[in-house]
Amino acid sequence: VCSSDLNNLINADKILAFYQPYVFLLDEMQNVEAFTEDMTKGREDYMKYAERLRDACEVVATQCPPMIRTQMMRVDAAEVNRKLYQCGQECIKALLHAVAMRNRDRSARLVKGFEQLNKRIMAVPNNEDQLTDLEAQVDAAERKDFPNLMAEYEDIKEWIWVTWDYDFALEEEDWNSIWAAAEWKTYNTNILKRQEDLENDRNGIELKLEDRRNKFKEDLAKIVDSVEKFKDKGSVRMLSDYLDQIADIKKKLEVAEATKEDMNIKEALVGWDPTEFEDLDSAKQKLDPYEKLWSTVRSAMLEPLALHRAVTSDDLEGAKAEGVPDGGEVEDANVVGGSGTESEEEGNGATFGEG
């Protein structure tokens, strides 16, 4: 009897040893969950894991007997086999379900990537800055963006093959998500068409820039003409008006200088050589002697006027000391630029020669 019991225990240990490689299936689900949460796991990792689980299930299904008989013992292993197989299949399903969910999410993000790319390159440029930026966007779309998006699409397809190889039934939403991404496969033709259309956009913007440049040249020519008219201006009586005209021209030149800088920037953006706009420098050079001339005239006129006012003030104080009533008047002396008779004004209106 003791010998039989010992043999039964030995056989029981052999049975347990036979099942030992597959016992892990009972609580493997927690490992599957941890595995699927690890975003560093790649396609090869998933395939190896699924293969390991499938092999274990295959052995349990084909090599584990439903009934184990010994000399003094009979073990019904069918339920154990079913449980191990069921746990293994649930783990495989959970693993591939995570793959399907990842594919669905990646496909949705891929579609958004294509949509954003389309929005960027289909914008209509309204100026030189937008034109050059858009040209760079379209060039990058052809060279980098579209190939990267297509590489992502092909990788998603490879992941779908993983689910297919392990007989995982994808849902309708899974197929719809990859189909939505597949509709962008031929988008490269849209990029090439956009490059052609962008040439027309460039031609239109360059034409507008050329019109603005020609208009600016015309405005500069008018400024030069207004400066050259000063060679015929020589009346001192018009001094204030001349100085106002000079100040106005200087403001126009300041604006013109800023316009030139902006124009040169725009020209550089479209690949043109910067225009010198010689009339701008010419106007500055021609205006300078006239500004100095009439500024000198104004200074010369202000000095005697200041002296006259000082003398008049002293005379008034002296008159008061002599007993002249406060309402008394002192006749104002004629000074250059002061008020006087018509003949005096004509005398004050002496003209200067040219320049």
Side-chain angles (χ1 to χ4, degrees):
V1 176
C2 292
S3 177
S4 298
D5 291 342
L6 181 60
N7 289 333
N8 286 334
L9 290 174
I10 292 173
N11 290 331
D13 287 339
K14 290 181 179 179
I15 294 172
L16 291 176
F18 177 79
Y19 276 99
Q20 189 60 40
Y22 317 110
V23 173
F24 77 94
L25 294 173
L26 295 175
D27 56 2
E28 185 63 14
M29 185 61 72
Q30 59 184 1
N31 293 329
V32 172
E33 293 175 355
F35 183 90
T36 57
E37 291 175 358
D38 186 354
M39 301 307 295
T40 64
K41 300 297 184 182
R43 190 165 57 251
E44 294 297 326
D45 298 316
Y46 272 81
M47 292 176 65
K48 289 180 180 179
Y49 197 2
E51 193 70 25
R52 175 173 172 244
L53 293 172
R54 188 169 68 172
D55 289 346
C57 289
E58 182 70 15
V59 172
V60 170
T62 60
Q63 298 183 24
C64 292
M67 183 70 67
I68 300 176
R69 293 181 175 86
T70 65
Q71 184 177 1
M72 298 292 294
M73 181 175 61
R74 186 177 63 178
V75 178
D76 184 359
E79 183 64 26
V80 173
N81 295 342
R82 283 193 297 270
K83 181 63 176 179
L84 290 173
Y85 185 84
Q86 179 184 355
C87 289
Q89 289 298 314
E90 289 177 352
C91 288
I92 294 175
K93 183 178 179 180
L95 185 69
L96 298 179
H97 177 74
V99 172
M101 291 298 100
R102 178 182 294 188
N103 286 345
R104 189 184 299 181
D105 180 64
R106 290 177 64 192
S107 296
R109 285 188 280 114
L110 180 60
V111 170
K112 288 183 179 180
F114 276 114
E115 291 174 344
Q116 291 172 355
L117 176 62
N118 180 71
K119 183 178 180 180
R120 289 199 305 271
I121 71 172
M122 291 302 171
V124 178
N126 297 313
N127 53 50
E128 295 78 9
D129 298 281
Q130 294 177 2
L131 173 66
T132 54
D133 179 67
L134 187 55
E135 287 177 334
Q137 293 278 4
V138 174
D139 180 66
E142 182 185 22
R143 292 185 299 99
K144 182 180 67 176
D145 297 336
F146 180 73
N148 288 345
L149 291 171
M150 285 305 301
E152 176 73 0
Y153 169 74
E154 294 297 332
D155 189 62
I156 293 174
K157 285 174 54 181
E158 293 298 323
W159 278 92
I160 290 178
W161 286 121
V162 172
T163 62
W164 183 271
D165 291 341
Y166 292 94
D167 301 324
F168 180 78
L170 295 175
E171 299 177 4
E172 182 179 359
E173 189 173 351
D174 298 319
W175 294 113
N176 289 340
S177 64
I178 190 61
W179 177 257
E183 291 182 331
W184 293 89
K185 288 193 302 181
T186 60
Y187 187 72
N188 194 48
T189 58
N190 298 63
I191 297 176
L192 298 177
K193 181 63 168 57
R194 186 66 187 104
Q195 288 177 327
E196 296 176 1
D197 295 339
L198 203 55
E199 287 296 323
N200 296 328
D201 293 334
R202 167 173 277 272
N203 292 336
I205 289 176
E206 287 182 346
L207 182 60
K208 291 179 180 179
L209 178 60
E210 186 174 2
D211 290 341
R212 293 202 304 271
R213 184 173 62 179
N214 292 336
K215 177 62 168 58
F216 182 51
K217 288 181 178 180
E218 293 175 0
D219 293 340
L220 290 177
K222 291 178 181 179
I223 294 177
V224 172
D225 290 341
S226 65
V227 173
E228 290 179 343
K229 289 180 181 180
F230 272 93
K231 66 183 179 181
D232 299 323
K233 302 178 186 293
S235 175
V236 176
R237 288 182 301 172
M238 301 295 292
L239 171 62
S240 178
D241 185 56
Y242 295 161
L243 293 174
D244 288 343
Q245 292 179 34
I246 291 173
D248 182 61
I249 292 174
K250 290 183 66 177
K251 289 181 180 179
K252 290 181 178 179
L253 290 175
E254 290 177 0
V255 174
E257 186 65 39
T259 302
K260 174 190 174 182
E261 293 179 2
D262 181 68
M263 192 74 66
N264 289 158
I265 292 174
K266 297 292 191 293
E267 290 173 330
L269 286 172
V270 298
W272 293 358
D273 293 331
T275 305
E276 293 298 331
F277 298 108
E278 294 85 357
D279 279 349
L280 178 57
D281 293 331
S282 176
K284 291 179 179 179
Q285 294 172 1
K286 291 181 178 181
L287 181 64
D288 185 63
Y290 293 116
E291 181 182 12
K292 291 179 179 179
L293 170 65
W294 292 108
S295 296
T296 301
V297 173
R298 178 180 60 183
S299 298
M301 295 177 65
L302 290 176
E303 289 179 2
L305 180 59
L307 178 61
H308 166 69
R309 287 175 176 170
V311 171
T312 303
S313 176
D314 292 341
D315 290 344
L316 286 173
E317 292 297 329
K320 290 180 180 180
E322 294 294 331
V324 177
D326 291 342
E329 296 181 357
V330 178
E331 184 177 353
D332 198 4
N334 290 331
V335 293
V336 179
S339 61
T341 62
E342 181 177 351
S343 60
E344 289 170 342
E345 290 179 356
E346 291 176 356
N348 292 334
T351 59
F352 288 82
E354 291 185 4

